[in-house]
Amino acid sequence: MSDGVDVLLDLWDAPEGIDLNYYMEKVKSKEIDFVLIICDQEYATKADQRKGGVGTETQIISKEVYNNVEQTRVIPIIYERDDEGEPCVPTYLASRKFIDLINDYNDGYERLLRRIHNVPEHIKPPIGEFPVRLKVPKVNNGTLESIIFSFEKRVEKDQFLINNIIQEFLEEFFDCIKKNQITFSSNETEDIVKVIYDKIFEYIPLRDSFIKFFKKIIKYTKYSGFEIDFDNIIDFFGRLFNLTIPKVGETFDRRSIIYYDFIIRELFLYLITISLHYKNYDFISNVLNSPYYFKSVYNPNETQNFLILDQRGNIETDKILTYYYKLKGNNYITGLGNMLIERMYSDFEINEFVEADLLCCYISIINLKDKYGWFPFTHIYKESDDFELFRKLTSKKHFEKVKDLFDVETVEDLKEKIQLADNYFSKQKYGFSRAIFSYVKPIGYYVKLDEIYTLR
């Protein structure tokens, strides 16, 4: 009573002269929210044998319990256990979930109060979205896994095999991608975007093999100092890029290249993410600063750079994926950025991936002086104001490790490049037009120019 529960109890509600059967039948009244059966050995025995007032109560209550298996109004309260430790309850209540006041009275009483006041201790969480991982089919990429598994043994025998292994893996990987082509059975826009979305998810096992392989390569080259042939990697992306270029006389469905465009961007960003994770700056420098020689519809004889992989001006990947999410009721600023983040490889943090994306952007402005630059679709998902690679430029040792990444020899050259890039970012407001105040931050946001190369 002192805890806000109005209790109907014979001690104060059944004065002398009252009809006890009438009183006991009050348990059937709709005004009674709960009936608490305080169970000890004596009560259980009388209830089972239908003796005395307990027997009468049992006849009244058991009918409700037996006739309605879903009822929760009648609550057994355990107040005694038998010699074997089993709760003393009448047979008709044996299958009912009870509240135990023996083992821990205070805890049991708290549970009882919560039940009566309808304040559950454990609240059912809301249903989330369908698990992304379940959309991914099981695929047979045994050859790729075999190459990954045997990597250490083969390199241990002869480290000069590493370039052959990389070429072997990338050729097999490319064949798997090419076999997994995309086709459309409908011309309805909604059906098309769904096919594209599902197809991108189907290749996750292949992507994961790519990541596992290059984790080994990047980690090995970091600590061994072995210089690999980056032409194998650049040529691989060239072959992927060519899948987005129509051949003469070929029937070409431009909608299918969205699938390849996403794959190219994701794999490229994971190369940078893995390299940042292991601080293999030489690997990043070679991938971002080497010349690329891909086929091009516009300038076939022109030497290119990694920026050619960012085809946002030619392929509407972000638009299509944003539209897909909108059909699902999600009004994301960027469907491409969101999809890259929601399917993150578990070994890496979101910030690592976003910083890889941002680094591609910064290098494209600093070294390539391209006014359009690499667009970091994931930049709005950055979870902190820190960027270790830039923050640590205050260290002389760190500068020496990363200077090739910025294609500079002196601190003055780097400061000049950063200043020019920051001027660009402050003028251009590089970001999504739909995301107010969410632009790509200048490099000076992470490190002050006058503090670069000032610490040991």
Side-chain angles (χ1 to χ4, degrees):
M1 292 286 287
S2 62
D3 284 318
V5 180
D6 187 9
V7 179
L8 188 66
L9 186 65
D10 57 359
L11 290 178
W12 50 72
D13 285 316
E16 289 75 6
I18 193 172
D19 187 311
L20 291 176
N21 288 338
Y22 167 76
Y23 175 76
M24 286 185 284
E25 294 221 2
K26 284 188 176 182
V27 298
K28 296 192 294 183
S29 171
K30 292 182 179 180
E31 295 179 0
I32 304 299
D33 298 314
F34 298 97
V35 178
L36 308 185
I37 309 296
I38 314 300
C39 303
D40 58 13
Q41 183 65 64
E42 183 181 3
Y43 184 91
T45 300
K46 288 183 177 180
D48 287 343
Q49 296 176 1
R50 299 297 194 269
K51 286 187 176 180
V54 172
T56 304
E57 289 176 351
T58 300
Q59 289 179 330
I60 296 171
I61 299 171
S62 61
K63 184 178 181 181
E64 176 181 348
V65 173
Y66 283 136
N67 290 347
N68 184 5
V69 295
E70 294 184 355
Q71 76 82 32
T72 57
R73 199 173 72 106
V74 178
I75 304 175
I77 309 296
I78 304 304
Y79 223 71
E80 188 178 356
R81 292 178 180 270
D82 61 22
D83 294 339
E84 296 179 355
E86 295 297 320
C88 298
V89 292
T91 301
Y92 77 97
L93 293 175
S95 64
R96 295 289 168 168
K97 187 174 182 179
F98 55 77
I99 290 177
D100 191 342
L101 294 184
I102 301 174
N103 290 339
D104 189 334
Y105 181 90
N106 291 331
D107 181 65
Y109 182 70
E110 182 75 13
R111 287 179 56 203
L112 177 58
L113 278 182
R114 285 181 172 277
R115 178 70 185 92
I116 294 172
H117 286 298
N118 194 25
V119 184
E121 180 179 1
H122 305 289
I123 300 175
K124 184 178 181 179
I127 293 179
E129 296 182 0
F130 185 85
V132 169
R133 63 186 179 278
L134 298 185
K135 297 179 183 178
V136 182
K138 297 291 184 181
V139 297
N140 182 12
N141 55 344
T143 303
L144 293 175
E145 292 298 318
S146 176
I147 296 173
I148 296 170
F149 179 76
S150 63
F151 173 78
E152 281 86 359
K153 289 184 178 180
R154 293 172 68 183
V155 173
E156 186 177 337
K157 289 182 179 180
D158 183 359
Q159 70 171 345
F160 289 97
L161 285 175
I162 190 169
N163 286 313
N164 292 337
I165 297 172
I166 292 174
Q167 186 174 6
E168 179 184 344
F169 179 87
L170 292 178
E171 286 181 355
E172 178 66 25
F173 188 93
F174 179 80
D175 288 343
C176 289
I177 291 293
K178 197 171 181 181
K179 290 175 185 176
N180 199 26
Q181 293 183 356
I182 188 170
T183 57
F184 303 99
S185 58
S186 168
N187 283 321
E188 295 293 327
T189 303
E190 292 187 12
D191 295 333
I192 290 169
V193 298
K194 185 180 185 302
V195 169
I196 292 171
Y197 180 90
D198 291 344
K199 197 68 175 178
I200 289 173
F201 264 101
E202 284 181 16
Y203 109 98
I204 285 182
L206 288 176
R207 180 208 69 175
D208 290 353
S209 293
F210 182 92
I211 294 172
K212 285 188 286 186
F213 179 73
F214 275 98
K215 279 181 66 179
K216 291 179 178 290
I217 296 296
I218 291 170
K219 189 175 181 179
Y220 179 82
T221 57
K222 159 73 176 179
Y223 297 109
S224 70
F226 185 84
E227 294 186 8
I228 64 173
D229 183 359
F230 281 90
D231 285 345
N232 284 330
I233 298 173
I234 292 172
D235 290 346
F236 164 75
F237 280 100
R239 296 177 72 189
L240 286 179
F241 179 84
N242 291 342
L243 294 177
T244 68
I245 305 297
K247 297 178 181 178
V248 177
E250 180 185 44
T251 302
F252 193 76
D253 191 336
R254 284 196 59 82
R255 300 170 301 186
S256 66
I257 65 179
I258 291 173
Y259 168 59
Y260 297 121
D261 182 56
F262 184 92
I263 291 175
I264 291 169
R265 181 179 291 269
E266 186 173 46
L267 295 180
F268 190 80
L269 285 175
Y270 270 107
L271 281 185
I272 310 302
T273 302
I274 298 167
S275 301
L276 281 176
H277 184 79
Y278 290 113
K279 295 180 171 55
N280 192 335
Y281 302 119
D282 181 67
F283 196 99
I284 302 175
S285 179
N286 277 283
V287 171
L288 296 186
N289 294 322
S290 294
Y292 285 62
Y293 300 92
F294 297 170
K295 290 181 182 179
S296 173
V297 175
Y298 306 103
N299 299 300
N301 299 319
E302 185 180 79
T303 301
Q304 299 120 357
N305 50 60
F306 79 92
L307 260 179
I308 196 171
L309 301 177
D310 183 359
Q311 299 195 73
R312 67 185 185 280
N314 303 318
I315 305 176
E316 296 182 327
T317 305
D318 184 47
K319 181 178 179 181
I320 291 297
L321 293 177
T322 302
Y323 179 67
Y324 171 84
Y325 283 114
K326 190 172 183 179
L327 290 175
K328 295 294 184 181
N330 298 309
N331 192 25
Y332 295 129
I333 292 172
T334 165
L336 173 55
N338 183 77
M339 193 170 186
L340 287 167
I341 294 299
E342 77 174 5
R343 51 194 270 132
M344 278 285 301
Y345 190 75
S346 60
D347 283 7
F348 304 110
E349 297 177 358
I350 290 176
N351 256 4
E352 291 181 295
F353 189 84
V354 175
E355 287 177 4
D357 206 5
L358 282 169
L359 185 61
C360 290
C361 173
Y362 291 136
I363 295 300
S364 69
I365 302 298
I366 285 179
N367 291 351
L368 308 179
K369 298 180 175 60
D370 192 295
K371 64 179 180 179
Y372 297 105
W374 175 280
F375 191 82
F377 282 92
T378 65
H379 80 272
I380 60 175
Y381 297 95
K382 197 165 189 331
E383 296 178 327
S384 75
D385 291 332
D386 182 37
F387 199 142
E388 184 181 278
L389 185 145
F390 291 110
R391 176 171 57 86
K392 291 176 68 174
L393 281 173
T394 57
S395 163
K396 295 177 182 178
K397 290 181 180 179
H398 181 70
F399 170 81
E400 295 300 330
K401 292 178 182 178
V402 302
K403 66 181 182 180
D404 285 347
L405 179 58
F406 303 107
D407 197 22
V408 297
E409 287 296 331
T410 68
V411 178
E412 288 70 26
D413 290 341
L414 177 59
K415 287 182 178 181
E416 182 179 349
K417 282 190 171 186
I418 292 177
Q419 185 64 59
L420 289 173
D422 284 1
N423 289 340
Y424 168 80
F425 285 117
S426 63
K427 291 178 181 178
Q428 295 297 321
K429 298 297 184 185
Y430 207 57
F432 297 102
S433 58
R434 290 170 290 166
I436 302 174
F437 306 122
S438 184
Y439 303 108
V440 174
K441 293 179 173 62
I443 298 172
Y445 182 83
Y446 304 108
V447 61
K448 295 179 181 178
L449 288 183
D450 59 359
E451 294 181 0
I452 294 177
Y453 205 75
T454 58
L455 303 175
R456 183 175 179 181

